[in-house]
Amino acid sequence: MTDPRLPHLETALDPSAMAAVLQRECLYPSGEFELRECRVDYVRYKPGCNCVISYDLAIYDRGRDQTVRHILSAGIYEYETTISARRWRKAMKQPLIPVRFGPPVTHIAGLQMVVWAFPNDRRLTGLENLLDAGRLRTELLPHALPGERIVQAEPELVRYVPEDRCTVRVAVTTAARRMNLYAKTYSEDRGNRIHEQLEALWRGRSPDLRIPRPLSYDARTLWLEEMPGDSMESRFEPAAASAVAALHRQDLPALPLSDRPSRLQKLAEVWNNARVAGLESRRLAYVFQEIERRFDECEPLPTVTLHGDLTLRNLLAAGDSAGLIDLDELRRGDPLEDLGNFNAALYCSAVANGFPMARADEQAAAFVKAYAAAVPWRIPERDLRWRTAHALVSERIGVAIKRRNRERVEDLLPIAERLLN
């Protein structure tokens, strides 16, 4: 089953098919550039409405005899309407940044698709400035580091989410020191809210909580100091659970609440996406029903400050301490929500890397044991298994469904079933 209002979605999500389309439509036809690799990096899908896809490309530049990375982001709109044409005409009226490989914006009418060449973006502006060493040194960094003489700035793109946010790492040399900063640009002024929350957390943090220091917020860009450490993706360290426990003990009552209705809504969205994609099944329906049923069976736990996106990448270990990064989704809620998200990340990593499930079980148990030793409340094992299943479905399986990755859904579904038994 496909989405009848977005009939070209299957093609748009197929990297092999899109490589030929993007070569023909989005690169200059002089023969100077050859698209050698196409990877789908990001998908945001609203059934029956639109889909935003980011393509990470490897382009061979014949003139310079080098292969370079290039990013294209595409918006797919409803079939047999004029939405994509209107979006393209509107885009052509706004200031656009020239791109070496092809036009800044392309309309592929046959796919009802508008393609933006990075750093051009429908909702994010000024991205080119964050990647310009000269402008960073003379215009942007003086706001983040007032009073310091900026000698050199070396930017590096870290993460780009089309129409939403972009993160750039900047190696900075001043007259007095060297450091690494992160600049995070947002499509809306939610960056100001994030900055205020991080400022409050920074000022009131306990000595055992390590987070990046927020420096400033200007022109929808948040500046942060880099926090040293090794990502748990590269080095698993159960003692790093102490950082999560330290965050959960902070008191930030002004944060939004993660409650039952919001979690159920997320599940409903995933199920609807599965139905539209033709990936629904009796097994998946059982898992959804069990997760929903168990919402009211969990033991009550304190409402704590949650990370909101606790993954292996966002937890750093450094020596005998640990810290947390990417705190954009701070909120209040059940502490098992963070622990479930982390355990789900462990299981998903095991599937992606071909590791035994027994290894993921051992790592999850060690992490939870270290966490439990650092907090005064009890960790009900049955409830944590349910929370982990919830995170697997609402986040990991949800992403696989958006990408029409049936194989990944089938790999993760047995883990959710096992957690619920």
Side-chain angles (χ1 to χ4, degrees):
M1 179 179 180
T2 60
D3 190 328
R5 301 189 68 84
L6 302 174
H8 301 301
L9 187 57
E10 300 297 327
T11 299
L13 291 171
D14 183 339
S16 299
M18 286 305 299
V21 173
L22 297 176
Q23 170 79 55
R24 181 180 67 249
E25 302 284 348
C26 299
L27 300 186
Y28 286 131
S30 63
E32 186 176 357
F33 307 113
E34 178 188 350
L35 198 161
R36 291 191 168 178
E37 183 181 355
C38 176
R39 181 174 64 87
V40 173
D41 183 59
Y42 173 81
V43 179
R44 184 172 67 250
Y45 172 47
K46 295 182 180 179
C49 184
N50 60 60
C51 184
V52 175
I53 304 172
S54 176
Y55 300 101
D56 194 335
L57 310 179
I59 297 178
Y60 177 62
D61 184 336
R62 290 191 174 90
R64 298 181 180 179
D65 190 24
Q66 62 180 2
T67 301
V68 295
R69 179 188 180 194
H70 185 45
I71 300 174
L72 298 176
S73 61
I76 304 171
Y77 303 97
E78 294 175 58
Y79 185 60
E80 294 184 342
T81 70
T82 61
I83 295 177
S84 67
R86 293 202 310 268
R87 287 281 169 86
W88 176 70
R89 288 194 295 268
K90 182 179 179 180
M92 296 302 292
K93 294 178 181 178
Q94 68 184 63
L96 297 170
I97 309 302
V99 177
R100 172 170 168 74
F101 308 106
V105 182
T106 303
H107 183 219
I108 305 178
L111 297 180
Q112 296 293 308
M113 176 185 286
V114 179
V115 183
W116 296 75
F118 185 85
N120 296 282
D121 186 281
R122 191 167 78 90
R123 290 181 174 171
L124 293 170
T125 59
L127 298 184
E128 70 281 4
N129 297 330
L130 292 177
L131 296 167
D132 186 317
R135 287 193 172 184
L136 280 168
R137 181 174 57 83
T138 60
E139 300 175 20
L140 303 182
L141 284 170
H143 292 284
L145 299 170
E148 299 200 44
R149 183 168 67 86
I150 313 299
V151 177
Q152 188 175 9
E154 300 177 24
E156 175 190 3
L157 179 64
V158 175
R159 182 73 171 122
Y160 168 57
V161 179
E163 302 182 8
D164 186 67
R165 62 191 182 276
C166 182
T167 303
V168 174
R169 182 177 184 264
V170 185
V172 182
T173 302
T174 72
R177 56 178 177 152
R178 292 182 179 179
M179 74 203 81
N180 294 320
L181 305 183
Y182 282 88
K184 304 181 75 171
T185 291
Y186 302 89
S187 61
E188 300 173 351
D189 277 334
R190 63 191 178 99
N192 188 46
R193 170 184 56 80
I194 293 169
H195 178 239
E196 291 175 351
Q197 292 173 351
L198 288 178
E199 283 277 11
L201 183 59
W202 177 264
R203 290 192 304 268
R205 73 193 187 285
S206 60
D208 57 345
L209 177 61
R210 293 178 58 239
I211 62 171
R213 179 186 178 187
L215 297 175
S216 68
Y217 179 74
D218 181 61
R220 293 187 176 178
T221 299
L222 171 65
W223 288 90
L224 302 161
E225 283 187 350
E226 182 180 62
M227 189 176 66
D230 298 322
S231 164
M232 295 278 276
E233 288 179 316
S234 59
R235 179 167 72 92
F236 180 78
E237 177 52 65
S242 62
V244 182
L247 176 65
H248 287 181
R249 294 195 304 268
Q250 307 304 303
D251 185 22
L252 290 174
L255 293 174
L257 180 65
S258 177
D259 55 10
R260 185 178 188 275
S262 64
R263 310 313 293 168
L264 285 175
Q265 181 180 358
K266 180 71 173 180
L267 276 177
E269 290 173 358
V270 175
W271 177 253
N272 186 49
N273 289 348
R275 181 186 57 78
V276 171
L279 295 177
E280 76 272 43
S281 66
R282 289 185 178 180
R283 292 174 63 192
L284 190 60
Y286 164 78
V287 168
F288 273 89
Q289 292 165 3
E290 277 300 295
I291 291 174
E292 184 173 351
R293 182 181 67 81
R294 296 187 191 190
F295 259 105
D296 297 321
E297 297 181 0
C298 291
E299 296 183 25
L301 290 175
T303 298
V304 303
T305 296
L306 298 175
H307 182 283
D309 186 25
L310 191 63
T311 63
L312 299 173
R313 181 176 56 196
N314 292 337
L315 188 56
L316 306 184
D320 58 354
S321 64
L324 297 160
I325 61 173
D326 285 344
L327 295 138
D328 291 9
E329 304 298 329
L330 283 174
R331 51 183 179 256
R332 295 182 302 123
D334 189 313
L336 299 190
E337 183 176 326
D338 266 353
L339 295 182
N341 284 341
F342 185 81
N343 287 352
L346 282 174
Y347 288 118
C348 194
S349 176
V351 168
N353 292 293
F355 297 147
M357 282 299 110
R359 169 179 166 169
D361 288 337
E362 291 172 1
Q363 290 180 335
F367 189 85
V368 172
K369 182 179 179 181
Y371 172 86
V375 296
W377 48 83
R378 196 176 81 85
I379 309 299
E381 181 182 355
R382 180 178 181 273
D383 294 352
L384 179 57
R385 290 169 63 88
W386 168 81
R387 282 287 190 177
T388 303
H390 178 276
L392 269 174
V393 172
S394 62
E395 301 296 336
R396 307 295 168 162
I397 290 179
V399 169
I401 288 171
K402 284 183 179 180
R403 299 189 177 191
R404 302 299 204 271
N405 190 339
R406 182 182 296 273
E407 181 180 356
R408 182 54 53 86
V409 173
E410 292 176 353
D411 286 339
L412 295 177
L413 187 56
I415 304 174
E417 291 173 322
R418 177 170 66 91
L419 290 165
L420 291 169
N421 290 330

